[in-house]
Amino acid sequence: MKINTRLFGEVEISDDKIICFENGIIGFPELKRFALIHDEESGTGAGIRFLQSLDEANFAMPVIDPLIVKPDYNPEVDDELLVGVGHVTEDNILVLVTVSVPSDLTKMSVNLQGPFVINVDTNKACQMILDSSDYPVKFPVYDILQGGKAGV
């Protein structure tokens, strides 16, 4: 399928790359189909990719693997919350968190409390809200990414 995106212009997404959020995402329950896109011209930008909506071409969120910015990220999740994505294992799970990029880049942060969980075998996904106060909504990452601690 081809879609016109605000950030990347026209892109082609193969059917096997479509990620389905059965219940949408928090704040946007009507958006259910997404694809992961990265800016090939500028590289992956310290691991930042975009979760591009296929239902609304103007909607894309920057996302990153939380382990890049917090290597000990390992929240406990009730298995019931993952039923909709199918059986997940260490080999088929992809966890991403949203990146907030304000005009003052030094205030860049990630939301560790609302991760996206994707089963890469089924391309089914969900977003959850963690109960733990160990993972803030605004975890500062500018210094981590600039300091080369990201391993990029």
Side-chain angles (χ1 to χ4, degrees):
M1 95 184 295
K2 286 186 182 184
I3 74 164
N4 280 309
T5 68
R6 182 176 59 87
L7 295 174
F8 300 101
E10 185 176 84
V11 294
E12 187 160 347
I13 307 293
S14 61
D15 288 346
D16 64 335
K17 299 293 184 196
I18 297 173
I19 301 166
C20 295
F21 286 79
E22 186 175 301
N23 299 312
I25 59 174
I26 295 169
F28 301 93
E30 72 282 3
L31 303 181
K32 299 182 184 296
R33 299 175 313 136
F34 290 84
L36 274 176
I37 299 175
H38 68 276
D39 188 346
E40 293 175 7
E41 290 179 13
S42 66
T44 57
I48 295 176
R49 296 181 272 179
F50 289 84
L51 195 58
Q52 171 67 54
S53 171
L54 303 181
D55 299 315
E56 171 54 59
N58 289 322
F59 186 87
M61 290 186 300
V63 293
I64 193 169
D65 179 339
L67 297 177
I68 290 174
V69 295
K70 186 159 178 52
D72 63 345
Y73 186 74
N74 189 20
E76 285 189 33
V77 176
D78 185 346
D79 288 342
E80 272 186 43
L81 297 174
L82 298 175
V83 168
V85 301
H87 180 68
V88 292
T89 66
E90 260 185 49
D91 295 328
N92 74 358
I93 190 170
L94 174 63
V95 177
L96 298 169
V97 293
T98 56
V99 181
S100 174
V101 185
S103 56
D104 179 355
L105 292 181
T106 64
K107 298 194 181 330
M108 187 183 312
S109 64
V110 296
N111 178 354
L112 296 178
Q113 201 167 67
F116 299 108
V117 177
I118 302 167
N119 179 329
V120 297
D121 290 341
T122 64
N123 280 346
K124 291 185 178 181
C126 67
Q127 183 179 18
M128 51 190 55
I129 298 295
L130 304 176
D131 290 332
S132 173
S133 61
D134 295 338
Y135 300 112
V137 171
K138 291 190 176 224
F139 180 74
V141 296
Y142 179 81
D143 290 337
I144 295 168
L145 295 176
Q146 290 301 311
K149 296 177 189 168
V152 177

